[in-house]
Amino acid sequence: MRIVDLLTRGRPTVSFEFMAPRDETEVEVLEKTVATLAGHAPDWVSVTYRLRTGEKTLELVTRIKRHYHIEAMAHLTCANSRDETRRILNWMEREGVANVLALRGDPPGPGEPFQPADPELKHGSDLVAFVRGNGYRLGIGAACSAEKHPESPDLEHEFRYLRLKVEAGADFLITQMFFDNRFYFDLVARARAAGITVPIVPGLMPVPSRRSLAFVTQMSGATVPDALQAEIDAAADDDAIRRLGVDHCIKQCVQLLEAGVPGLHFYTFNRARAPIEILGTLRGQQLLAS
Ligand code: FAD
C-alpha cells in the first residue's frame, strides 16, 4: 500500500524509523525493538539506508512486511550509480516493497562533503525524479528540513529544493527532527502558501542522551530550545535526560495532533522504550487511536 494513502485517510498515522544494523553487534537490539514496536500498532515503518549495509535495509523491509504485515518503506540514497540504483529499485518492486524514501544521504561526517556516486544523482530531488521518470510504481517519500539544513545558506535555499522534490514526484515529505513545533508550523504554512499540498509528516526524536543529542543536532541542523537545553544541562544523568526527552516529545505530539498533522514519525534509534511511553500517553488521552 502506498504510504500517501495512509496519510490522507483522515486519521494521523504512527510510524517508526529503524536503523539498519551496521554490524552483527546491532542485530539483537534491533530485532527486539522491531518485535516490541510491531506490537504497538504502527501504521507503517521505515528502515534507513547506508552504502555498506544496503542489503540489510532491503532484507529487513521485506521481513517486516511478511512477518509483521506492517507496511515498511525502504530508504535509498544517492550513494549508488544509476545502474545499481535501478537494480535496487527493480528488486524492491519484485519483492513487493511499495514505498521508497528518496534521499541524498548523510555526508561521511559533520562538515564533510557528500560524495555522490553518479553525477546525475547528486540530490534528493534527482533520485525522486529518477524513480518517477523510470516508470517505477513505488510510492515516493522525500526528506525536508523544518530548520535550516547545515549545508544551506538559508531557509529560502532549502525551500527551493523542497519544491523541486515535490515537482519531481514526491508523494509526501518527512521532516528532519525538530524540538520546537514553530519550525514545523512555519514550514507547512509556507508550503501551503506556495501551492504544495503533499502531506508533510513531522519527524520526532525523544532526546535519548546528551551525547546522541549533540551528534544528531550537528548532523541535522536541529536546534534545541533554550528552556529544554537548560533542563538537559541540569539533569543528573542520562536516565533523567531520557525522561525529559519523553516529556518534551509528548508536549510536541499533543500540539501537533491538535493541529491536525497527517502522522507522527518517530526516529527510534532502535530503542523502543521512549516511543512506547509517548504512545501510551497519547492513546491514554484519546489523542490517537489504539
Ligand atoms: P538534498 O535534498 O539533496 O539536500 C541536501 C543539501 O543540498 C541541502 O542543503 C539542500 O538545500 C541542497 N540541495 C538540494 N537540492 C539541490 C540542488 N538541486 N542544487 C543545489 N543544492 C541542492 N541519510 C542516510 O544516509 N540514510 C538514511 O536512511 C537517511 N534517512 C533519513 C530520513 C529522514 C526522514 C530524513 C529527514 C533524513 C534522512 N537521512 C538519511 C539524512 C539525509 O540524507 C540528510 O539530511 C541529507 O543531508 C539531506 O537529504 P535530502 O534528501 O534532503 O538531500
Side-chain angles (χ1 to χ4, degrees):
M1 178 170 207
R2 284 188 176 214
I3 287 172
V4 67
D5 294 331
L6 296 170
L7 294 170
T8 50
R9 72 187 165 179
R11 75 170 170 84
T13 62
V14 168
S15 53
F16 301 125
E17 178 183 290
F18 299 119
M19 293 169 77
R22 281 168 298 191
D23 56 45
E24 286 311 307
T25 62
E26 296 182 348
V27 171
E28 200 185 334
V29 171
L30 171 66
E31 293 298 326
K32 265 198 203 148
T33 304
V34 171
T36 307
L37 287 179
H40 286 264
D43 297 280
W44 55 278
V45 301
S46 77
V47 180
T48 63
Y49 186 89
R50 296 277 176 278
L51 181 58
R52 282 183 307 283
T53 58
E55 298 296 325
K56 300 242 185 311
T57 302
L58 302 175
E59 188 270 326
L60 184 58
V61 164
T62 43
R63 197 149 46 80
I64 292 173
K65 279 181 73 97
R66 284 182 195 144
H67 187 75
Y68 297 105
H69 307 289
I70 295 168
E71 194 52 63
M73 171 169 71
H75 296 197
L76 186 61
T77 69
C78 298
N80 301 294
S81 67
R82 266 170 296 166
D83 281 351
E84 181 60 7
T85 302
R86 221 175 263 118
R87 189 193 69 75
I88 295 168
L89 292 167
N90 290 344
W91 187 95
M92 284 185 196
E93 282 210 332
R94 210 171 44 241
E95 296 295 321
V97 176
N99 299 275
V100 63
L101 187 67
L103 303 149
R104 182 199 68 178
D106 270 329
E112 292 178 46
F114 177 80
Q115 301 290 356
D118 191 302
E120 295 202 15
L121 293 179
K122 287 198 290 204
H123 285 290
S125 55
D126 300 330
L127 189 53
V128 172
F130 185 86
V131 179
R132 211 39 109 211
N134 282 284
Y136 291 100
R137 293 181 305 277
L138 296 156
I140 307 175
C144 67
S145 300
E147 294 182 68
K148 197 182 83 54
H149 184 275
E151 294 160 45
S152 285
D154 51 42
L155 272 175
E156 195 61 49
H157 177 98
E158 203 52 42
F159 195 74
R160 190 179 322 147
Y161 298 118
L162 177 158
R163 186 202 280 271
L164 202 58
K165 288 174 192 178
V166 177
E167 286 170 355
D171 300 316
F172 67 98
L173 300 166
I174 307 177
T175 74
Q176 190 53 273
M177 65 192 66
F178 56 88
F179 300 98
D180 182 338
N181 287 347
R182 276 180 306 172
F183 293 117
Y184 172 82
F185 293 135
D186 287 352
L187 173 77
V188 175
R190 204 152 174 225
R192 301 306 177 233
I196 296 169
T197 56
V198 298
I200 303 178
V201 184
L204 296 150
M205 187 193 77
V207 177
S209 68
R210 224 176 243 129
R211 205 163 61 105
S212 314
L213 181 64
F215 180 74
V216 296
T217 51
Q218 208 182 1
M219 287 300 278
S220 67
T223 56
V224 182
D226 290 344
L228 177 61
Q229 187 63 57
E231 285 183 291
I232 290 171
D233 291 343
D237 53 25
D238 269 353
D239 198 43
I241 293 177
R242 203 196 61 77
R243 284 199 304 275
L244 278 171
V246 166
D247 289 346
H248 183 78
C249 194
I250 289 171
K251 284 186 205 139
Q252 282 193 274
C253 291
V254 169
Q255 198 185 30
L256 290 164
L257 289 168
E258 285 171 353
V261 288
L264 300 172
H265 185 66
F266 293 99
Y267 295 107
T268 68
F269 291 88
N270 296 349
R271 293 285 184 274
R273 191 167 158 199
I276 290 172
E277 289 174 8
I278 294 163
L279 290 181
T281 303
L282 298 174
R283 286 176 170 150
Q285 293 178 12
Q286 320 287 315
L287 286 164
L288 274 178
S290 299

